[in-house]
Amino acid sequence: MADRHFLPGLILAGFMLAVAGCQSGDSGGAVLGAENKDAPPPAKEKVLESELRGYCPTVTLRDGTAYFNSYAKGGQDDPAKLVYQSSIAQVSRSCTRSNGMLNITVAVAGRVVPGPAVKPGSVTMPIRIAVIQGDTVIYSELHKYQANIADTSTASQFVFNDPNISLPDPTVRNIRIYAGFDEGPPKKTASAQ
């Protein structure tokens, strides 16, 4: 029974560490073993109260976009030809402000479960991030994210980041961010033509 709760806890802990790494402002720059005694200590950035209270839109996982199945060619919906199933377990974001712009990084974490038709190697998952302000789509990007399946007998985890969202700092809190798998428009079949 404890094993059933261990994997989700491990996934959540890994995701939180990945997001914390995204939010870190320290660029480091030090090389292990190299020390410059003449250099002044790095300046620490001060976080303003306005930044702590600043608006950072939440990310929502759209209904019906938490799972993605990939099948071998010609095997659509055939369980024996399932290559893999991927699922999104968690979505998050971090925000920074600079020169009147709101910069948002969206993170998506989940896992990939190999199917009967899987082969070792990389798989491509279609992850869409969309930002809507009021009724207007101001950002929509479909990412072809690749994850590696080294062990075909067990599930593997993935963490995807989209750090490319930048928009004028909003004066109204009317921004929604959506994340999820997006296979694109349905493919035409011979009977639908």
Side-chain angles (χ1 to χ4, degrees), residues 130-182:
V131 180
I132 300 171
Q133 187 169 25
D135 294 329
T136 306
V137 176
I138 57 174
Y139 179 88
S140 181
E141 191 68 36
L142 180 62
H143 303 274
K144 299 293 186 177
Y145 181 70
Q146 291 194 341
N148 191 36
I149 296 181
D151 183 354
T152 60
S153 66
T154 186
S156 57
Q157 299 174 15
F158 71 89
V159 176
F160 163 78
N161 287 302
D162 182 350
N164 300 318
I165 304 165
S166 186
L167 54 129
D169 201 355
T171 56
V172 178
R173 296 181 175 203
N174 65 345
I175 295 176
R176 299 179 313 269
I177 304 173
Y178 294 103
F181 293 117
D182 184 354

Side-chain angles (χ1 to χ4, degrees), residues 17-170:
L17 287 173
V19 170
C22 293
Q23 295 176 353
S24 174
D26 183 16
S27 61
V31 177
L32 189 62
E35 188 175 321
N36 184 353
K37 294 181 184 197
D38 297 329
K44 294 195 179 203
E45 290 185 35
K46 291 185 178 182
V47 177
L48 303 175
E49 181 182 351
S50 61
E51 290 176 325
L52 290 175
R53 296 177 188 256
Y55 172 59
C56 188
T58 58
V59 182
T60 303
L61 184 60
R62 269 216 160 126
D63 287 340
T65 66
Y67 296 94
F68 174 72
N69 292 336
S70 178
Y71 294 91
K73 189 172 183 175
Q76 188 67 27
D77 297 326
D78 180 354
K81 295 192 177 183
L82 179 68
V83 177
Y84 68 90
Q85 180 183 67
S86 52
S87 62
I88 296 174
Q90 196 79 23
V91 292
S92 186
R93 85 288 184 238
S94 66
C95 296
T96 59
R97 287 170 172 74
S98 175
N99 299 323
M101 300 297 285
L102 175 62
N103 305 302
I104 306 168
T105 297
V106 174
V108 175
R111 65 185 193 147
V112 179
V113 179
V118 73
K119 294 179 182 165
S122 66
V123 296
T124 303
M125 295 177 280
I127 300 174
R128 181 172 299 278
I129 306 298
V131 180
I132 300 171
Q133 187 169 25
D135 294 329
T136 306
V137 176
I138 57 174
Y139 179 88
S140 181
E141 191 68 36
L142 180 62
H143 303 274
K144 299 293 186 177
Y145 181 70
Q146 291 194 341
N148 191 36
I149 296 181
D151 183 354
T152 60
S153 66
T154 186
S156 57
Q157 299 174 15
F158 71 89
V159 176
F160 163 78
N161 287 302
D162 182 350
N164 300 318
I165 304 165
S166 186
L167 54 129
D169 201 355

